[in-house]
Amino acid sequence: MIVGYSLSPGGLLFPWHIGALAGLSHQGFLTDSNPIAGSSAGSIAVASHAASVPPEEAVEATIRMSDSCRDNYGGARGNLLPLLQQELNGMLDDDVHEVFNNREGFVGLAYKELFPLNRPILDTHFDSKEHVIDSVCNSSMFPFFSTNWPCRMSRRRRVDDTAVFLPRIAVDGYFTVDRDRFGCPDLDMDHARKGGRNGEEEEENERGEVKLVESSNTKITSSNNADRTVTLSVFPHDAIRLTASEEHDQISPEYNEENKSEQLGTLFRLATECATREEYYKLYEDGWKDAERWIKEEERRGYWGASTETRRSMYADAVRNKDLN
């Protein structure tokens, strides 16, 4: 059974995602055979992890972005995207697209394309480092927060630098899925374009006109789709009503029912405002701890490695026994 991990948006909370992925990887629950995909903050963490960027380096990049926003602009709102692009360009190797394409479990970066076609995108095949950075920035384009604009426009050159892709207008990956997923990409790929650049290539005719054509380069097949998807959310699943996944397929901070206002207030502040080095490293450590808590429950239930049918039967028994007690 192939287990995939789907990461939520979360603004500047993405050190939590980095910690959670590091914890899963450290315990052997996340390897190159597991598909991973993310939106917005989740896409940054997915790209960082798949590119083998050391977790502490990714956290330090977050700190640099936050410090720059605070010291030079007076705050994070409207200033994050150029800084993100700069950090990605420095952290990612020139062959990062080949690393992603050759990974056994696919790497998915989600965003909503508004032009030339209005559709959700889950990029899973990349033709250059620029393409990877472009997809992460598209995925992280939350209107009037990442920048002062409602959307992002990009135009990339082909690898051989002989032609230019049609301009793309995009917004945050949060908008690619239904509300009950809170931006966590759907790994069954039903909504995704499955090859080349977003499932199509650009073809130039004899008059020099460029049009979109279906790509024959298919990255995702039924053999490497995820049989089971675990959603990772920087906010407690219950608090944001992320109900698309069952309880045993959820990794997030524990929901503090008795003090939920303070907990959520702190998380939203950290997601939207510049924070301290100590706070970002605490987020990283909390993500690792939350992943380990899920791993312990997974081992206790005996779900890991079980077939989908067996896991569902075991879960049904667990729920039934809980109701009887």
Side-chain angles (χ1 to χ4, degrees), residues 9 76 202 234 277 317:
E202 291 174 3
V234 296
R277 170 182 295 273
D317 290 342

Side-chain angles (χ1 to χ4, degrees), residues 4-290:
Y5 297 96
S6 179
L7 279 64
S8 76
L12 285 165
L13 289 170
F14 60 83
W16 182 93
H17 273 318
I18 294 169
L21 293 180
L24 291 168
S25 179
H26 179 73
Q27 297 292 343
F29 278 70
L30 172 58
T31 69
D32 284 351
S33 64
N34 298 108
I36 52 174
S39 293
S40 200
S43 75
I44 302 171
V46 162
S48 172
H49 178 83
S52 298
V53 174
E56 61 275 10
E57 184 177 330
V59 177
E60 287 295 328
T62 312
I63 295 169
R64 287 194 296 270
M65 290 171 57
S66 176
D67 288 349
S68 181
C69 284
R70 181 176 52 249
D71 298 341
N72 298 320
Y73 307 108
R77 192 191 69 80
N79 303 303
L80 288 170
L81 208 58
L83 295 172
L84 172 62
Q85 189 167 358
Q86 177 181 316
E87 291 292 344
L88 290 170
N89 194 56
M91 285 193 303
L92 302 180
D93 293 335
D94 290 342
D95 65 346
V96 64
H97 57 294
E98 297 176 1
V99 173
F100 286 11
N101 293 339
N102 293 328
R103 190 176 185 273
E104 183 180 352
F106 66 81
V107 177
L109 306 175
Y111 62 90
K112 180 68 177 290
E113 181 182 276
L114 303 179
F115 179 86
L117 299 174
N118 186 0
R119 58 182 176 169
I121 296 293
L122 188 61
D123 252 348
T124 57
H125 186 87
F126 306 91
D127 53 37
S128 65
K129 174 181 177 179
E130 181 188 4
H131 184 174
V132 172
I133 295 175
D134 192 46
S135 294
V136 174
C137 289
N138 284 346
S139 185
S140 304
M141 177 61 222
F142 202 87
F144 303 111
F145 174 69
S146 304
T147 73
N148 290 319
W149 297 93
C151 56
R152 179 176 186 265
M153 185 177 78
S154 62
R155 185 193 295 266
R156 292 188 302 103
R157 288 194 172 274
R158 293 188 186 276
V159 176
D160 58 11
D161 208 34
T162 59
V164 179
F165 283 115
L166 287 173
R168 293 305 202 278
I169 298 178
V171 291
D172 198 275
Y174 173 84
F175 302 104
T176 59
V177 289
D178 293 338
R179 171 63 186 81
D180 65 348
R181 300 194 67 86
F182 196 76
C184 291
D186 185 355
L187 301 192
D188 68 12
M189 304 300 292
D190 285 346
H191 72 294
R193 308 296 295 184
K194 298 183 179 179
R197 193 198 186 286
N198 310 330
E200 79 279 330
E201 296 173 348
E202 291 174 3
E203 184 178 88
E204 186 173 351
N205 63 22
E206 63 274 8
R207 296 189 299 276
E209 299 169 336
V210 177
K211 65 178 182 177
L212 301 180
V213 296
E214 290 297 319
S215 170
S216 60
N217 180 10
T218 300
K219 163 66 174 172
I220 301 301
T221 67
S222 59
S223 63
N224 59 13
N225 274 350
D227 301 307
R228 174 190 178 192
T229 298
V230 176
T231 55
L232 284 74
S233 171
V234 296
F235 299 102
H237 279 70
D238 290 343
I240 57 174
R241 298 181 182 177
L242 202 171
T243 58
S245 55
E246 297 178 276
E247 184 178 354
H248 57 275
D249 288 334
Q250 299 175 354
I251 302 175
S252 65
E254 288 190 284
Y255 192 25
N256 188 341
E257 286 280 3
E258 295 182 356
N259 205 9
K260 58 185 177 182
S261 296
E262 181 178 348
Q263 180 190 23
L264 294 179
T266 299
L267 288 173
F268 278 109
R269 176 182 65 81
L270 292 172
T272 58
E273 299 177 11
C274 301
T276 65
R277 170 182 295 273
E278 292 73 21
E279 287 174 314
Y280 286 127
Y281 270 102
K282 185 179 184 304
L283 281 173
Y284 170 76
E285 292 166 1
D286 287 346
W288 187 303
K289 292 175 183 176
D290 290 329

